[in-house]
Amino acid sequence: MPRGRAWAAYRHLSNFVNGRIIGVRNRGEPFRQIAQIVGCSVMTAEQVVTRWTQDNSVARKAGTGPFRRTTP
C-alpha cells in the first residue's frame, strides 16, 4: 500500500485569507491569535507574514513543481 500525503489536511490559502493574515498582523496581534482567527496553523501565519515582508506579495509562485513531460 503506497504512503502518500493526506490531501484532506493540505490546502492552499486564498489571497483573501492571506490578506486577512496580513491585516490582523498589522493590528499587532500575535501569531497564535492570528491562527485562531483565520483558522490556520501558527507556522502558516508566520510564513505568510514573512513572505509579505520580504517580497511584498502573498501570491503563490507560478510554475513551481516538476516540468510536464510529453511523449513524442
Side-chain angles (χ1 to χ4, degrees):
M1 178 181 274
R3 296 177 58 178
R5 180 181 296 197
W7 288 105
Y10 181 76
R11 63 182 174 87
H12 291 289
L13 297 177
S14 66
N15 286 337
F16 177 75
V17 174
N18 286 335
R20 283 185 65 196
I21 292 172
I22 298 302
V24 174
R25 183 62 180 173
N26 285 339
R27 285 192 330 212
E29 300 290 337
F31 288 113
R32 188 177 304 253
Q33 185 73 20
I34 294 170
Q36 289 176 352
I37 291 171
V38 176
C40 66
S41 69
V42 176
M43 189 58 149
T44 300
E46 289 179 11
Q47 288 174 348
V48 168
V49 171
T50 301
R51 191 175 341 136
W52 174 256
T53 56
Q54 290 177 353
D55 300 337
N56 229 9
S57 173
V58 292
R60 290 177 34 216
K61 293 181 181 177
T64 59
F67 293 109
R68 287 190 170 188
R69 293 184 177 91
T70 57
T71 55

